[in-house]
Amino acid sequence: MSGLPQPLAEIVDDFAGVGEQDRLELLLEFSRELPALPEHLTAAAMEPVPECQSPLFLDVDASDREAVRLYFSAPPEAPTTRGFASILAQGLDGQSAAAIAAVPDDFHHALGLDSVVSPLRLRGMSAMLARIKRRLAA
């Protein structure tokens, strides 16, 4: 899929390289790798993403438009939501605002999770990316 920053393209390739059931396990692996919030940031100060099935909060620090910082908070008992957040964090954190804005809105389909994750949950990932882009455009 074109238009993806290198780290995100590598994640998409990782998902494409495994079978359907292994994709779900890979998503769970990502959920365990969601970076912790820095000390200066709390979930209460972050933007909620109500489209997600589980509580998800995000923060976009675009003070340096060439190296945007993304932060996510999701409870450990929400592995799908945490996995999606971790994919976006690992794939987009530190990228330029222009590179993030160029990510196709439907890139999540390239992960091949459509048959193992409900459309409602996939909509949550799409909503996270949309909110990030909206914050960058503001």
Side-chain angles (χ1 to χ4, degrees):
M1 171 173 265
S2 63
L4 298 181
Q6 185 64 30
L8 191 57
E10 289 174 9
I11 292 170
V12 168
D13 287 347
D14 288 346
F15 275 88
V18 298
E20 191 173 279
Q21 271 314 113
D22 291 333
R23 288 184 194 130
L24 196 52
E25 184 55 42
L26 187 54
L27 181 63
L28 294 176
E29 205 174 291
F30 271 95
S31 77
R32 294 186 287 271
E33 297 171 354
L34 181 65
L37 292 178
E39 287 185 28
H40 74 278
L41 195 58
T42 64
M46 301 169 76
E47 179 178 355
V49 182
E51 296 89 345
C52 289
Q53 296 243 246
S54 302
L56 185 284
F57 300 88
L58 67 82
D59 187 65
V60 178
D61 178 356
S63 56
D64 179 352
R65 305 264 317 156
E66 292 305 312
V68 174
R69 299 304 318 265
L70 302 175
Y71 304 101
F72 299 88
S73 175
E77 60 274 8
T80 303
T81 300
R82 283 182 64 86
F84 290 156
S86 182
I87 288 169
L88 291 173
Q90 293 182 47
L92 298 177
D93 185 54
Q95 298 297 310
S96 70
I100 295 170
V103 172
D105 293 338
D106 64 348
F107 98 90
H108 60 278
H109 294 300
L111 296 170
L113 293 168
D114 296 51
S115 60
V116 293
V117 176
S118 75
L120 276 175
R121 292 205 180 273
L122 288 171
R123 193 172 321 141
M125 184 177 208
S126 179
M128 287 182 224
L129 181 59
R131 286 180 185 278
I132 293 166
K133 288 182 173 187
R134 190 167 42 251
R135 292 278 301 275
L136 293 174

